[in-house]
Structures are given as structure tokens and as C-alpha cells.
Amino acid sequence: MRKIKYKKGRKLQPYNLEYTGIHKNKESEMQLFVYDNLDLIEYEDFKVSDLDKFINVQKTNWINIHGLNNVEWLKSIGAYFKIDNFMLADILNTTRRTKLAESQDSLFFNIKSLLPAGNSDNISVEQISFLIKDGILVSFQEKRSDFFTHIRERIRTHSGIVRTKKADYLLYILLDAIMENFYITIENEEDKVEELINLTKESADPLILERIEKHRDNFNFLKRSIIPLRDSLYDIKSIKDDNVFNAMEADNFSFFTRLHQKSLELLEQIESDMGSLESASNFFFSAQTHKMNEIMKTLTIVSAIFIPLTFIVGVYGMNFEYMPELKRHYGYQTVMGAMFLIVIGMIIYFKKRRWF
């Protein structure tokens, strides 16, 4: 999982715009979809100055921006859409938590997209921000990815109702696509947790405990990412009552209610998975304790068997001159036989008591 440099992020001032993410070598580019129920026009590789002639306020306009390292270019986009420095700072500063900001003519939303990082136990993190105005949705991604590929295809092929809806519905399906990544990440974590639970039953390797703690950290990170998302989605549900941002259709608020319910389901699932991890951790320590008890029991039994033997050897190791047994012809065989019978008798006694 990428470690976020919170100290650096907190030092940044709103007027000091700086990209704090790790994708600093990604080329900045822009893609525009202009569509309605009857028509679709797609633009790529164009300048900010071309937006005036491409955007059609009578239709839905989706501007998707990849790459945030070109700050001056983003400033020009911010100037075109009248985005203040506070919002631009939130777009560029990837250490900020998920938030929702509402004004009279726009709605700003940013979110963390999480996915498993290859074959490792890490989680890949990318911040995605959205700005919605009347008929216009601008999305800001740190890099080009395939989060929204199926949505682009739905727009191109006129699948579903996306072409019949406005920008607020487009925001809903984009957020829904990102939340699907949470399900993928949690499912991947659950598979690894199940593997760890099986390993704790077969092995006492300390590396298993390290992996358990790693996945516990992953679930805590998932939880910290979803809680502010849950709160922001709840705030979206209340927009229709506050009379501030009025560019969302009343029928579409139910879609955001579904997303809010999904966030609650995700949090419940994380709590359940963290309980499974806790059980795996407890089982590991119990297994370790049981193994140690078995070792101590074995050592105790061995010690108990050798105590009388050590006593006998100690007695006959004393240097007294008059010890009758030492003069007997079969004295050695008698003592060894007695020691052997003592060992056998103690083993039988321990076995009957089920001490091993």
C-alpha cells in the first residue's frame, strides 16, 4: 500500500498548488464526450482554448482529465471553469480525505480508488476528483486507467439510460464504478485472509503473524477510506433540501442513496473480515501456546523419568568403601534391571493418566 506523506500534504497552502502524488511522469491529457439521447461527439488531444467551441450546454458534457503533474495546465482549466484555489489544491493534494463541497453553481467531490497491487499484499491508491456544473462533469485522474472503460462503451453504444440522463447521473455511475473497486479489493483481501487462516492451522511460522498484521492494516486503510465516502454520500442525499446546488434532477437522488447503502455494506463487510483476522491471530497464538505446552509436557515427562535414575546413579556414585552391592557378582545387572523397570513403570503410569 502506498504510504501517504501526510506531513508534506499538510504543509501545502491553498495558494501553493503542487501535485503530491507519485505519478509525476504521466502525460497530462484531456478527453471530451458531448452527448444526448440522439447524438454523441468525442474529442481528444485538444487545447483548453478549444473548449468554447466543443462544449454544448444543451447536452451532457463529460471532460475526463488524465495526469495532474502539469500544474500550470490545470490552472488554465481551473480558470476556464472558475475553480477556486481551494478546490484545485484538493485535486492536486492526494493526501486529503474524501470530501464534498457544494456551491451555488457547482458540486465538488473527490474519492480514493483502491485496487489490489499485483500479486503482493499491498493496495494501489489513486485519487479521483469530480466537478459538476449545469450540464458539465469534469473528472480528474492521476493517470490513465481502465476504471471507466465500460462507461465510455455504454455511452458510445447507447447502452442503458446513460445517454438519456444528465451529468448528475453520469457522476453516479462513475462513483459506482469506483466503489466496485472497493468490492474487488475487499474480495482479494478476503481470499488472502482465508489462506492465512488455513496456514495458521498448518504452520507456526512467525511470518504468518506478520502477514496477518499487514492485512489488518489494509482493512483499517479501507475503513478510513470508506467512512468519509459514506458521509459525503449522505450529504449528497441532503442537497435537494438545502436549496444551494440545484443542478441535480430529483429522480437521481435515489441512485446516490443506493451508493450510500453500498458504503454501509462495505463497512459491515470490513468489520466482519477484521473479526476473522482477529480470530486467525488468536488461533495462531493459541496454537503457539499449545505447541509450547506440548513441548514443556514432553520435557517434564522426560525429566520425571530421569529423576529416580539420577538418584540411583548418584547413590552408587558415592565413594563409600563399604557398599555391599558393589561386591556382588550380578550387582551391575541388578541395578540396571531395576532402573529399566522403573522407566517402564513410570511410562505405563503416565500413559494411564493420559499425560502423553
Side-chain angles (χ1 to χ4, degrees):
M1 182 171 56
R2 183 179 63 178
K3 184 177 180 180
I4 298 177
K5 298 179 180 179
Y6 288 102
K7 291 184 178 179
K8 178 181 178 182
R10 287 174 178 169
K11 288 179 181 177
L12 294 179
Q13 299 298 321
Y15 54 81
N16 184 18
L17 300 178
E18 179 184 348
Y19 173 57
T20 61
I22 62 174
H23 305 288
K24 298 184 181 295
N25 59 346
K26 301 297 181 182
E27 183 180 354
S28 299
E29 53 188 349
M30 188 161 42
Q31 182 184 41
L32 170 63
F33 286 86
V34 181
Y35 64 86
D36 59 12
N37 191 31
L38 301 176
D39 190 26
L40 165 67
I41 305 176
E42 185 176 346
Y43 302 97
E44 290 192 15
D45 300 327
F46 57 91
K47 299 179 180 179
V48 177
S49 58
D50 295 328
L51 287 171
D52 277 329
K53 60 182 179 181
F54 291 160
I55 289 179
N56 186 341
V57 293
Q58 304 300 322
K59 299 181 179 181
T60 301
N61 302 266
W62 175 25
I63 303 167
N64 193 23
I65 295 170
H66 305 101
L68 305 180
N69 56 307
N70 190 340
V71 176
E72 294 302 320
W73 182 68
L74 284 173
K75 283 183 179 180
S76 65
I77 295 175
Y80 180 86
F81 290 107
K82 298 179 181 179
I83 306 174
D84 60 37
N85 276 359
F86 290 96
M87 288 186 182
L88 282 177
D90 288 337
I91 293 170
L92 292 169
N93 190 348
T94 59
T95 65
R96 299 287 174 84
R97 73 196 299 267
T98 296
K99 65 176 291 186
L100 175 73
E102 180 187 3
S103 65
Q104 288 289 346
D105 63 342
S106 65
L107 183 71
F108 175 76
F109 194 102
N110 70 356
I111 184 175
K112 297 289 189 296
S113 177
L114 309 181
L115 276 174
N119 296 322
S120 68
D121 289 336
N122 296 328
I123 295 178
S124 175
V125 186
E126 180 184 346
Q127 178 169 286
I128 302 177
S129 303
F130 301 98
L131 179 73
I132 182 171
K133 290 175 173 283
D134 189 14
I136 300 173
L137 175 66
V138 187
S139 55
F140 301 86
Q141 296 181 246
E142 293 188 66
K143 61 182 179 67
R144 180 178 284 274
S145 56
D146 57 357
F147 299 155
F148 308 137
T149 301
H150 64 291
I151 297 176
R152 295 188 186 93
E153 289 304 312
R154 285 172 61 182
I155 294 174
R156 289 170 180 144
T157 59
H158 206 327
S159 299
I161 62 173
V162 60
R163 291 267 294 271
T164 65
K165 292 286 188 177
K166 301 296 183 182
D168 51 345
Y169 180 80
L170 177 61
L171 174 63
Y172 155 71
I173 61 175
L174 294 177
L175 291 176
D176 187 54
I178 295 173
M179 291 188 71
E180 286 299 316
N181 293 341
F182 283 97
Y183 283 101
I184 294 172
T185 305
I186 291 176
E187 183 178 355
N188 181 74
E189 289 293 314
E190 287 174 343
D191 290 341
K192 292 180 178 179
V193 167
E194 185 177 353
E195 176 188 347
L196 285 175
I197 291 174
N198 293 331
L199 285 175
T200 57
K201 298 176 181 178
E202 300 171 358
S203 172
D205 190 343
L207 291 177
I208 296 175
L209 187 60
E210 292 183 15
R211 289 190 62 194
I212 288 175
E213 292 304 314
K214 172 65 177 176
H215 289 290
R216 197 194 310 277
D217 290 341
N218 287 351
F219 279 120
N220 280 322
F221 183 78
L222 280 163
K223 188 175 179 179
R224 292 198 308 271
S225 300
I226 295 173
I227 287 177
L229 172 61
R230 175 202 62 188
D231 297 340
S232 297
L233 290 170
Y234 181 82
D235 291 339
I236 286 182
K237 295 195 304 178
S238 64
I239 287 177
K240 62 180 177 180
D241 301 322
D242 58 19
N243 295 321
V244 178
F245 180 72
N246 298 314
M248 295 183 67
E249 296 181 345
D251 293 342
N252 290 337
F253 283 101
S254 60
F255 296 116
F256 292 97
T257 301
R258 295 179 191 176
L259 293 182
H260 181 255
Q261 291 298 322
K262 278 189 175 183
S263 67
L264 297 178
E265 292 173 3
L266 289 168
L267 288 173
E268 290 175 359
Q269 188 61 43
I270 288 174
E271 290 294 340
S272 174
D273 293 332
M274 291 184 72
S276 298
L277 267 182
E278 187 68 26
S279 298
S281 180
N282 292 337
F283 185 87
F284 179 85
F285 285 116
S286 297
Q288 289 282 69
T289 303
H290 178 71
K291 182 179 179 181
M292 182 61 67
N293 289 339
E294 289 295 315
I295 293 173
M296 294 303 297
K297 183 173 69 174
T298 302
L299 293 175
T300 302
I301 290 173
V302 172
S303 299
I305 290 173
F306 275 92
I307 284 174
L309 304 184
T310 304
F311 173 76
I312 294 172
V313 171
V315 169
Y316 287 102
M318 294 186 295
N319 294 321
F320 290 112
E321 183 176 355
Y322 300 104
M323 296 184 72
E325 294 88 351
L326 298 178
K327 303 298 183 180
R328 292 181 180 179
H329 184 74
Y330 294 104
Y332 172 76
Q333 291 87 343
T334 302
V335 172
M336 292 299 294
M339 293 171 67
F340 177 77
L341 290 174
I342 289 172
V343 171
I344 296 300
M346 294 184 72
I347 291 175
I348 293 173
Y349 176 76
F350 292 154
K351 194 73 174 177
K352 286 185 176 180
R353 295 298 299 269
R354 295 183 179 180
W355 289 359
F356 68 91

